[in-house]
């Protein structure tokens, strides 16, 4: 960033907060946001549960992967609630149930408009 380049991070802070909460963490990790650089854009890539499960199975899903599918509705709700925090100033939700190129074009179009 200091050199004027964009930085893309897969699974940034929102994922840490969401998964900690789903696993029953009793500490509010959001207090750490005070020392983090806020993202310019957060992309929440979602997918229909049946598509997610099919993709996981094709990749050789583990039992832990299958458990996360069962948590899908709770996980999705927790992400949406977390991303309402003002720390995430700009959020783009993208459904990746269809062709990957559709999701990529939507994300790139949004990035170009920043």
């Amino acid at each position: 960033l200091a050199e004027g380049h964009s930085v893309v991070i897969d699974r940034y802070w929102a994922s840490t907060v969401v998964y900690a909460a789903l696993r029953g963490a009793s500490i509010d990790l959001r207090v750490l946001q005070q020392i983090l650089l806020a993202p310019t854009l957060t992309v929440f890539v979602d997918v229909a549960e049946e598509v997610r499960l099919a993709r996981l199975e094709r990749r050789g899903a583990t039992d832990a992967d299958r458990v996360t599918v069962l948590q899908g509705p709770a996980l999705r709700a927790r992400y949406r609630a977390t991303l309402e925090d003002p720390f995430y100033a700009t959020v783009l939700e993208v459904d990746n149930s269809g062709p990957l190129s559709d999701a990529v074009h939507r994300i790139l179009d949004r990035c170009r408009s920043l």
Side-chain angles (χ1 to χ4, degrees):
L1 285 176
E3 295 174 3
H5 301 285
S6 296
V7 176
V8 177
I9 300 173
D10 178 27
R11 198 181 184 281
Y12 186 55
W13 186 241
S15 295
T16 300
V17 171
V18 167
Y19 278 93
L22 267 177
R23 292 181 179 126
S26 59
I27 185 171
D28 185 358
L29 296 174
R30 292 173 299 173
V31 298
L32 296 174
Q33 288 175 185
Q34 298 168 17
I35 61 171
L36 296 175
L37 179 63
T40 304
L41 173 67
T42 298
V43 180
F44 173 43
V45 180
D46 197 14
V47 67
E49 288 304 314
E50 60 275 3
V51 173
R52 183 174 175 218
L53 182 57
R55 288 176 181 173
L56 284 169
E57 292 297 340
R58 278 196 306 271
R59 291 183 218 150
T62 65
D63 288 341
D65 291 331
R66 290 182 189 95
V67 167
T68 66
V69 171
L70 295 175
Q71 295 175 321
L75 183 64
R76 184 177 288 106
R78 180 72 67 165
Y79 262 109
R80 287 191 176 116
T82 297
L83 294 173
E84 288 178 6
D85 187 302
F87 178 74
Y88 308 99
T90 304
V91 176
L92 172 65
E93 186 170 335
V94 176
D95 182 351
N96 190 29
S97 297
L100 178 61
S101 60
D102 291 353
V104 169
H105 288 299
R106 184 152 181 235
I107 293 166
L108 289 175
D109 286 347
R110 184 64 179 103
C111 287
R112 288 183 191 110
S113 72
L114 294 176

